[in-house]
Amino acid sequence: MKPVAVSTTKKRKALSLERKESLWGYVFVSPWVIGFLVFTMFPLLFSLYASFTNYDITSRMEWVGLRNYDTMFNHDALFWTSLKNTLFYVAFNVPLTTLGSLLLAVALNQKIPGMRYFRTIFYLPSVLSGVAVYILWMMLLNPTSGLVNVALGWIGIEGPAWMVDPAWTKPAVILMKLWAVGGGMLLYLASLQGVPEQLYEAAEIDGAGAIRRFWHITVPMITPVLFFELVTHFISGFQIFQEGYVMAQDQNSPGSPMNSLLFYNLHMFLKAFRVYEMGYASAMAWFLFLIVMVLTAINMLVSKFWVHYEGGDNR
């Protein structure tokens, strides 16, 4: 009977040790869990509930059902203006910045002396402060004295009234974003340097030119990074806010001139903190969340047809 008693005692000690380890595991993970519940989950659920109320931040919070959503779709003309401005920005900014980052990475991947200094120079704009960059570009894009229009005048082109003409404000913002493609360039550069040289050598022996080597070797090998960049650019594109707030011609009217810079997040911000319609702003936030989720899901579904991972497994 003693061996049985001894084995039972060992099992109890092992179970006790497992429970202690589990308890300490919960203790160490509890700060993250508490932070997630308090600072992420609770605000999400609260904003979802607030989207069905007339919450005004201070005191009022009455249930109004779908009234905020009805107002958003049928009675707020600026909602559609802000959505169109944001979609325009995303539709042009995402492909242009992605292509610009990739081409810049390919150019800076050449093995020539001093290339590391050029990489540093092109990366620096992506680490500069946002507001300082916006003020700098407002001076550069000044219709009369800005360096951009002055340079265009040297080659006989009359520059547009960038931040004054509503037709040119969004292209001006997109141009400004192209200046800071160094962040994406760094990711592409790292992925390009991971492409095996043997593949290029074999293709060159078979007579493949530079363009064919780039399209059939480089692009398929870096598609995971390309996919990551596209998804993150889509998400960040819909979050555009500061440009319309800081670069407005009339600082008392964010999004000016003529609401051409009234992006979705800016309109939501003004509804929440200028007229205190927090319930309506919460409804706008959840609609934006739905747009981003749908587009991300589409990207994930389509990715299996063009994203190639090591081992040939498209996931």
Side-chain angles (χ1 to χ4, degrees):
M1 297 297 294
K2 288 184 178 180
V4 175
V6 171
S7 63
T8 303
T9 303
K10 289 182 177 180
K11 288 181 179 179
R12 288 178 179 175
K13 288 183 178 179
L15 289 174
S16 177
L17 182 60
E18 289 179 2
R19 289 173 181 171
K20 287 181 180 179
E21 290 178 348
S22 299
L23 178 61
W24 279 111
Y26 291 130
V27 170
F28 284 120
V29 80
S30 61
W32 181 90
V33 173
I34 294 172
F36 174 77
L37 294 176
V38 174
F39 298 108
T40 302
M41 183 57 67
F42 174 74
L44 277 174
L45 296 178
F46 181 81
S47 68
L48 179 60
Y49 175 78
S51 68
F52 297 101
T53 69
N54 60 356
Y55 183 43
D56 66 351
I57 301 180
T58 57
S59 58
R60 189 179 61 183
M61 194 173 187
E62 302 165 350
W63 182 268
V64 296
L66 296 174
R67 191 175 75 186
N68 288 327
Y69 294 92
D70 176 65
T71 302
M72 184 169 61
F73 294 124
N74 300 317
H75 304 288
D76 183 5
L78 291 180
F79 164 79
W80 293 110
T81 300
S82 65
L83 183 59
K84 290 177 182 177
N85 289 339
T86 305
L87 290 175
F88 179 94
Y89 171 79
V90 171
F92 286 93
N93 179 70
V94 171
L96 288 176
T97 54
T98 301
L99 181 62
S101 299
L102 179 57
L103 295 179
L104 183 61
V106 171
L108 295 178
N109 194 38
Q110 308 304 314
K111 296 180 180 180
I112 60 176
M115 185 57 71
R116 65 180 64 182
Y117 301 108
F118 289 101
R119 294 170 183 171
T120 303
I121 292 171
F122 281 103
Y123 178 71
L124 281 177
S126 63
V127 301
L128 298 179
S129 174
V131 175
V133 171
Y134 305 148
I135 295 175
L136 170 65
W137 274 92
M138 289 175 68
M139 293 188 291
L140 291 174
L141 296 173
N142 187 288
T144 56
S145 60
L147 182 60
V148 174
N149 279 5
V150 171
L152 290 175
W154 292 343
I155 56 177
I157 299 176
E158 183 179 356
W162 294 100
M163 303 306 298
V164 178
D165 187 351
W168 282 96
T169 52
K170 287 185 286 295
V173 171
I174 294 171
L175 175 65
M176 179 186 68
K177 290 296 183 180
L178 288 174
W179 180 65
V181 296
M185 175 272 297
L186 199 63
L187 290 176
Y188 289 124
L189 185 60
S191 62
L192 287 172
Q193 294 181 349
V195 179
E197 289 290 336
Q198 296 87 342
L199 297 178
Y200 294 116
E201 293 173 358
E204 190 172 1
I205 293 173
D206 289 338
I211 296 178
R212 293 191 64 183
R213 292 198 300 270
F214 174 78
W215 187 251
H216 293 286
I217 296 177
T218 305
V219 172
M221 292 295 292
I222 67 171
T223 48
V225 176
L226 185 61
F227 171 64
F228 171 79
E229 280 288 288
L230 284 174
V231 171
T232 53
H233 281 171
F234 266 112
I235 295 174
S236 62
F238 279 101
Q239 294 176 342
I240 183 172
F241 163 75
Q242 296 182 71
E243 292 80 354
Y245 190 80
V246 176
M247 302 181 75
Q249 286 300 297
D250 183 1
Q251 292 301 314
N252 295 320
S253 179
S256 61
M258 296 179 63
N259 295 319
S260 60
L261 290 177
L262 184 67
F263 296 110
Y264 192 96
N265 276 357
L266 177 57
H267 184 44
M268 181 170 58
F269 171 82
L270 295 176
K271 284 292 185 181
F273 299 106
R274 177 162 290 190
V275 296
Y276 301 109
E277 295 181 4
M278 183 61 74
Y280 181 81
S282 298
M284 289 186 63
W286 276 95
F287 181 69
L288 179 62
F289 173 77
L290 179 63
I291 293 175
V292 173
M293 285 295 293
V294 169
L295 289 176
T296 303
I298 293 174
N299 281 327
M300 295 291 288
L301 291 174
V302 174
S303 67
K304 64 182 180 181
F305 297 106
W306 65 277
V307 180
H308 306 281
Y309 296 94
E310 290 186 14
D313 184 16
N314 291 7
R315 291 165 287 191

